[in-house]
Amino acid sequence: MGDKRIKVGVLGISGCGATMVEALQSCERVDLIALADRDADLAKQRAAELGVEGYDDYRSLVVEQPMEVLFVSAPPFACQEHLKLAASRGIHVWRETPLARTVQEAVDLLESFESHGAHLTVCRSWRFIGMGGGIADPCEWIGQPYSARGLTLAYRPDPLGWRGDSERAGGGALIDQAYELVDAVVQWMGLPDRVVATTTRRPGTQPYDTEDTASVTLGYLDGSMASIIAHRRSHPPTWSLTFDGPKGTLVIEPPQVIIRTFEGREVRQPRPDTRSIYAAQIDAFLRAILSEGKGCPSGAREHLATVAVIETAYLSARTGEPESPAKLYNLHDLPLPTAVAGPDEHENEAPEQ
C-alpha cells in the first residue's frame, strides 16, 4: 500500500458505526477527516473527540469533504440517495448490510456506482473465518455444502423506531439480523430454486408492522436445502451457521469456527473480535482501491442474489406459497448468477498495520 494515506469519512456512527470508527482508527494509512450522524449531539461530541469535522446532514458531508472513501453504517432508507451522490463524485463506498431493501433499489444503486467508475463494497464478516491461519477455504475440508442451518437471536427493545416501519426498514428480523446468514448460504450454495418463508409478530397489538420472527427455507433443484430462523425478542443474543458437505461439517459461531470431518478429524479456531474483523475487511477494501479496484472484495453486484432471496422470502410470507428468486432476476432483466464462491485468500489475511 506504500505510504499513501486515504482520506475517509463515516456516515452513521451509532451502533455498528461506532465499531467501524474504532476499526478505522487502527488503520495507519487511513486519514479520517469527517463524520456524520442524524443525532446532532452525538456527531458533535464524537467529532470533537476525534478532532474531525462533524455533520448532522449526510448530504453536506458528501458535498463538502474531499473524501476518497466513505464508510457507511446508516440504514438504506436514510442514505441511498446520498450514496448515489457519492458515486457521482467518484467516492468509493464500503457499507454495512443490507445493501438495499429491494432488488430494484440495489440495481439503481449499483448502476450509479458502475456508471461513475466508483466501487461499492458490502460488509461480509462471515468471509473472515480463517483470519490468523488454520482454516482457509472450508470447502476444501467439507466439500461443496448441500445443507445449511442458520440461527440468529437478538433483543430489540421497544420502541423499535424505524425498524418497526416496513417501508423504511424493508422488513424486520430477517433483513435486519439474517442478511449475512442468507448471504453466506447463497455464496456457498448458489441461488435457490425456491424460497418458502413464514413471518410473525409476537402476540398482542404492536405499534409496528415488521416481523419479530422469520423462518426461511431455501430449496435447490439438486436436493440441497438450507433453513434460517431469525428472532428479535430473545435474550441473550447469539447466532450460528452450520454447513454440511460430503466430507464433513462446518460450524461458525461468535467465539469460534469448528470443522469436523467424517474421517474423525476436528479443527477448532477462535474467531477474532468484531473490531478486528472490521479492520480486516477495511484493509482488504483499501488495498483494492489503491490497486485501482483490482480484486475489490464483496462487491455490490455479488449481493444482488442475497437481496433477491430476502425479497422473495417476504413475497412467500405474503402469498403463503413457494416463490422463485429467478423471477426477480427476469423481472429486472438480470443475468442469473452462476458462480459459487468461498472465502477469497486475501480476505483471510490479518490486516496490515
Side-chain angles (χ1 to χ4, degrees):
M1 290 177 68
D3 297 326
K4 176 177 172 55
R5 295 179 65 85
I6 300 177
K7 294 181 179 180
V8 309
V10 178
L11 195 156
I13 59 171
S14 61
C16 294
T19 305
M20 188 183 295
V21 171
E22 291 178 6
L24 286 167
Q25 289 179 283
S26 71
C27 298
E28 292 183 357
R29 294 175 179 84
V30 165
D31 186 7
L32 178 61
I33 62 174
L35 55 81
D37 196 274
R38 292 278 178 88
D39 184 332
D41 291 337
L42 176 62
K44 181 178 180 181
Q45 175 186 341
R46 198 72 179 103
E49 293 171 354
L50 297 172
V52 302
E53 291 291 327
Y55 296 84
D56 59 7
D57 179 79
Y58 293 165
R59 187 179 188 281
S60 296
L61 169 70
V62 175
V63 171
E64 296 179 10
Q65 291 296 321
M67 298 177 295
E68 297 169 81
V69 177
L70 179 64
F71 289 86
V72 179
S73 72
F77 82 89
C79 66
Q80 293 299 82
E81 294 306 312
H82 304 95
L83 299 193
K84 293 178 185 178
L85 177 61
S88 71
R89 298 174 67 84
I91 299 172
H92 308 295
V93 170
W94 186 94
R95 73 154 301 132
E96 254 293 350
T97 60
L99 166 62
R101 295 166 291 185
T102 64
V103 171
Q104 182 63 65
E105 192 173 66
V107 168
D108 291 345
L109 196 58
L110 182 61
E111 289 178 347
S112 180
F113 274 82
E114 291 184 343
S115 66
H116 290 97
H119 295 285
L120 173 60
T121 284
V122 185
C123 176
R124 187 172 271 168
S125 297
W126 63 266
R127 292 288 287 265
F128 288 77
I129 59 177
M131 208 173 78
I135 299 172
D137 182 355
C139 289
E140 294 182 2
W141 295 75
I142 71 168
Q144 176 58 42
Y146 52 72
S147 173
R149 299 172 300 284
L151 173 68
T152 172
L153 305 177
Y155 178 68
R156 296 291 190 194
D158 294 329
L160 289 172
W162 63 267
R163 287 187 173 88
D165 181 352
S166 59
E167 182 175 350
R168 287 188 293 171
L174 176 59
I175 193 171
D176 184 32
Q177 297 164 221
Y179 182 97
E180 283 216 69
L181 299 185
V182 174
D183 184 52
V185 169
V186 170
Q187 286 297 304
W188 267 334
M189 298 179 64
L191 189 73
D193 172 65
R194 62 196 179 280
V195 177
V196 180
T198 301
T199 62
T200 65
R201 289 195 297 275
R202 58 195 167 98
T205 301
Q206 309 301 334
Y208 53 84
D209 66 350
T210 56
E211 81 279 1
D212 291 319
T213 305
S215 174
V216 182
T217 300
L218 313 183
Y220 295 81
L221 290 176
D222 66 357
S224 299
M225 68 170 292
S227 61
I228 295 172
I229 294 176
H231 181 60
R232 68 179 177 193
R233 299 292 298 185
S234 180
H235 190 74
T238 188
W239 63 269
S240 65
L241 182 59
T242 300
F243 288 99
D244 299 307
K247 299 178 184 179
T249 296
L250 164 71
V251 181
I252 309 173
E253 300 172 333
Q256 64 184 341
V257 179
I258 307 170
I259 288 180
R260 298 184 180 95
T261 71
F262 294 138
E263 297 175 346
R265 187 175 182 184
E266 180 173 291
V267 179
R268 292 175 179 260
Q269 181 173 305
R271 292 188 83 240
D273 60 36
T274 302
R275 190 190 66 81
S276 297
I277 292 177
Y278 265 78
Q281 293 184 81
I282 290 169
D283 180 72
F285 175 59
L286 295 180
R287 281 189 284 134
I289 294 302
L290 289 173
S291 300
E292 299 182 350
K294 296 178 181 178
C296 202
S298 192
R301 187 166 286 278
E302 294 179 29
H303 287 256
L304 286 177
T306 305
V307 177
V309 169
I310 291 175
E311 184 175 348
T312 302
Y314 282 122
L315 174 61
S316 173
R318 292 193 301 271
T319 65
E321 299 288 341
E323 299 291 348
S324 171
K327 291 182 179 180
L328 281 174
Y329 272 77
N330 293 333
L331 178 65
H332 295 282
D333 197 26
L334 296 168
L336 289 172
T338 56
V340 178
D344 293 337
E345 291 183 3
H346 70 274
E347 286 187 321
N348 283 300
E349 298 172 359
E352 290 187 24
Q353 299 295 329

